[in-house]
Amino acid sequence: FPAWYEAHVLLGVRPTKPGYAAYERKPRLLGGMKRVSGRVMTPRGPVFSSLDGRFVKISFTGDIMCLKEQLKAVEAAKVPWESVFEPVRRVLAGSDYVVGNLETPLAGPEAGYTSADARFNTPDAFAAAAKACGITCADTANNHCMDMKEAGLDRTVRTLDRLGLDHFGTYLAKEAADAPFVRTVGGVRFAFVGATYGTATEWGDIQILPPER
């Protein structure tokens, strides 16, 4: 490339005050480039600029939950659960890995779906739709993980496994809980940890799992 093109377009070094008393650096990758690096000579000395295209974007959402009103609305309209997540699909598509706080058990229909204001149980299709719309991992450690007691917690973990949705936070055995949850995203290894202050039930008391869980 011509020197001016490399300096001002690729490396993106431009003066913002006369004589490079101040400058900006906005490197760019063009034409499938993976990395750009170099220096630009200025009256005040060399300015180094670089950009590595091998970056990853990890996003975190807030609570993923389904209130009883939402459950009734989806059932009444007979629409797929994907419609719940459709408004954020395009936003999530810009990330390489998306972690959401799954604040509802997946305890199955036999446990009864959400009918109270603060005690949840949501159809498996809800989690499947979350995955289909861009959620790639669920944090299950939160104050509603025990809304359907231990059986609900266990089924939630097994359901996420069956759906192929990554998850961390609650586990079926101590050995799994003690093992670091690590995922490689774009060639970079990341570890994730989930925790909760407690596991409040519908009545406001706290359900604590035994130490081995």
Side-chain angles (χ1 to χ4, degrees), residues 15 55 76 89 93 127 137 147 199 211-212:
F55 68 91
R89 182 193 288 268
C137 184
D147 279 4
T199 51
E212 65 272 13

Side-chain angles (χ1 to χ4, degrees), residues 173-179 212:
K174 185 177 185 300
E175 292 75 15
D178 288 343
E212 65 272 13

